[in-house]
Amino acid sequence: MDLKGKTIAILATNGFEQSELEVPRDRLKQAGATVHVISPTAGEIKGWDKKDWGRPVTVDKTLDQVSSSDYDALVLPGGQINPDLLRLEPRALSFIKEVFNAKKVVAAVCHAPWLLIETGIAKGRKMTSYKSIKTDVINAGAAWEDSAVVVDQGIITSRNPGDLEAFSAKIIEEVKEGRHVQRNAA
């Protein structure tokens, strides 16, 4: 139980890629962490599973009910719909920046680096993403790498669902390391 006593937020809304929420959530829980699925609205959010709507996931807390100080890390699942909707939510963007500025781990997979772009976190970082947003990441000032997982001072990015085991392992490793005090604010 590597992460006993740690609490991790997964920020998502409707249209998250099913495996990109469920695999990290399950691995983090298996490692002993408390994991909360956070969303702008209460109830359930529905995933996207490859080519159609997937299973609903229960929202543990809404953005209005949480503070960045409640969490040791933040996980941002991708899918095309989820991060596109979240980057229009001012409270979601504020929460992401607050976690980042507190020098805690922020992990984004697939299309979720759009949220790191929108918050200014991507600029000056080494990152990866799903290949279709490579140009967006580069245009935001990040150094894009074609790697399964890239870590830059506690910012973890990953390409796609095929890399979720490595992504989840890296989240566990970075949370165990603690805050990244050398990191500059966005």
Side-chain angles (χ1 to χ4, degrees), residues 12-184:
T13 193
N14 290 307
F16 63 87
E17 183 65 41
Q18 200 79 44
S19 62
E20 294 173 11
L21 185 149
E22 292 177 343
V23 172
R25 177 198 63 196
D26 296 349
R27 297 303 171 270
L28 293 165
K29 284 182 175 182
Q30 289 169 358
T34 299
V35 180
H36 295 154
V37 175
I38 298 166
S39 189
T41 56
E44 292 182 333
I45 52 176
K46 197 162 194 179
W48 187 261
D49 197 2
K50 298 176 187 76
K51 296 183 180 191
D52 202 354
W53 289 102
R55 298 170 298 284
V57 170
T58 300
V59 173
D60 297 305
K61 295 179 182 267
T62 64
L63 278 166
D64 295 339
Q65 298 172 315
V66 298
S67 167
S68 61
S69 63
D70 299 335
Y71 298 96
D72 298 290
L74 172 61
V75 178
L76 302 168
Q80 293 173 326
I81 300 167
N82 173 60
D84 199 38
L85 293 174
L86 285 176
R87 65 184 174 165
L88 298 174
E89 291 281 343
R91 181 64 188 112
L93 299 175
S94 293
F95 183 71
I96 294 165
K97 280 183 95 165
E98 289 165 11
V99 172
F100 173 81
N101 288 336
K103 304 190 184 305
K104 297 176 183 179
V105 173
V106 177
V109 61
C110 189
H111 286 77
W114 270 338
L115 294 164
L116 304 181
I117 292 168
E118 195 69 32
T119 55
I121 294 169
K123 187 173 184 175
R125 306 246 170 254
K126 292 186 297 181
M127 293 175 56
T128 194
S129 67
Y130 191 71
K131 61 187 172 191
S132 69
I133 68 165
K134 171 185 175 181
T135 301
D136 297 342
V137 172
I138 292 167
N139 287 342
W144 190 87
E145 295 181 17
D146 187 15
S147 300
V149 179
V150 174
V151 181
D152 187 337
Q153 297 181 346
I155 305 304
I156 306 165
T157 52
S158 186
R159 289 184 302 213
N160 59 51
D163 303 320
L164 288 173
E165 292 299 333
F167 178 65
S168 300
K170 191 53 80 172
I171 295 168
I172 292 166
E173 178 184 323
E174 290 293 311
V175 170
K176 285 169 47 178
E177 286 181 13
R179 291 186 187 219
H180 291 76
V181 295
Q182 74 281 15
R183 183 169 71 205
N184 294 325

Side-chain angles (χ1 to χ4, degrees), residues 1-6 31-33:
M1 297 301 214
D2 296 322
L3 299 183
K4 188 174 171 104
K6 302 292 185 184

